[in-house]
Amino acid sequence: MSSIAIVQVYAAPTYGWRGHFAVHPWIIFKRRGESVYTRYDVVGWRAPDVVQRDYAVPDGLWYGSTPKLLVDHQGVEVETMIDAIEAAVASYPYARQYRSYPGPNSNTFLAHIGREVKALQLDLPANAIGKDYRPITDPIGISSSGSGLQFSLLGLLGASVGVQEGLELNVLGLNFGVDLNPPALRLPLIGRLGWGPSVRPQPDPK
């Protein structure tokens, strides 16, 4: 049984042919003293209730694809973060809507959590299509990392700038940019090309 609280975010190529273009992310957590993770992600084929709790194994394969760890937070302060994550899940405005392109989709869901829980420091990759989805009535706001600013027209045209995501341009849902934390190019299809991500997996203490 883990003695500390843990929050992690994973992403893997999405199901089928779309996996060549985009990723599917999810978030998992467990509180201090818990032995089982809670997982949340958006699953389109579960419509109309697309927000799913414990749909699949916390860090397992996503339809045969190995996930990458995007976020790893551990420690006493994570308990408060988990409270904020659960509130963000409850406030997701598209819980009964799904559209793979340009959104709202599974990346829109994680981007919403990132905006609401700034301590998460979530940097979704450039091929997380749907992360930039914003309604036409609300084109300007906080970026999905919670650390920057974003302008976006329905996730089809826009730009983001922030500490986590660097500078990123969005054209028809394809993202191009430069990351300085650490240095890398942000590219469609690939996601990130350069130095490894800043997150380092931490051991899960037993």
Side-chain angles (χ1 to χ4, degrees):
M1 181 177 292
S2 174
S3 61
I4 62 173
I6 300 173
V7 169
Q8 295 177 332
V9 175
Y10 290 88
T14 194
Y15 178 73
W17 62 268
R18 287 172 293 188
H20 296 292
F21 301 93
V23 296
H24 171 85
W26 62 92
I27 189 166
I28 67 173
F29 58 80
K30 61 180 176 180
R31 297 181 182 275
R32 180 180 180 182
E34 292 181 341
S35 59
V36 177
Y37 284 96
T38 296
R39 168 174 169 159
Y40 280 107
D41 46 352
V42 155
V43 182
W45 48 86
R46 287 298 183 97
D49 299 316
V50 297
V51 176
Q52 293 289 303
R53 179 187 171 110
D54 298 332
Y55 174 78
V57 176
D59 59 351
L61 301 180
W62 178 251
Y63 290 91
S65 296
T66 302
K68 291 184 178 180
L69 182 66
L70 301 183
V71 163
D72 185 15
H73 294 288
Q74 301 186 21
V76 176
E77 69 283 355
V78 174
E79 291 283 353
T80 301
M81 188 186 300
I82 291 173
D83 291 338
I85 290 169
E86 291 186 314
V89 170
S91 69
Y92 180 57
Y94 310 111
R96 299 181 68 82
Q97 301 178 45
Y98 183 88
R99 185 171 52 196
S100 59
Y101 175 84
N105 58 26
S106 59
N107 289 299
T108 312
F109 175 63
L110 262 294
H112 168 76
I113 294 175
R115 293 187 185 100
E116 295 296 309
V117 188
K118 297 177 178 61
L120 194 61
Q121 298 179 336
L122 174 61
D123 183 10
L124 288 167
N127 58 345
I129 294 176
K131 70 183 177 71
D132 298 323
Y133 180 84
R134 301 182 69 94
I136 195 70
T137 56
D138 185 28
I140 300 175
I142 298 172
S143 64
S144 59
S145 71
S147 67
L149 297 175
Q150 178 183 60
F151 166 77
S152 181
L153 297 175
L154 296 175
L156 293 171
L157 181 66
S160 299
V161 59
V163 174
Q164 295 295 322
E165 61 269 87
L167 174 64
E168 192 170 82
L169 303 179
N170 176 3
V171 180
L172 298 179
L174 300 178
N175 286 30
F176 306 81
V178 178
D179 194 348
L180 300 177
N181 184 30
L185 296 177
R186 304 174 69 90
L187 300 171
L189 308 183
I190 297 173
R192 200 172 189 279
L193 181 62
W195 295 94
S198 56
V199 63
R200 292 292 181 268
Q202 300 181 37
D204 184 359
K206 301 298 182 181

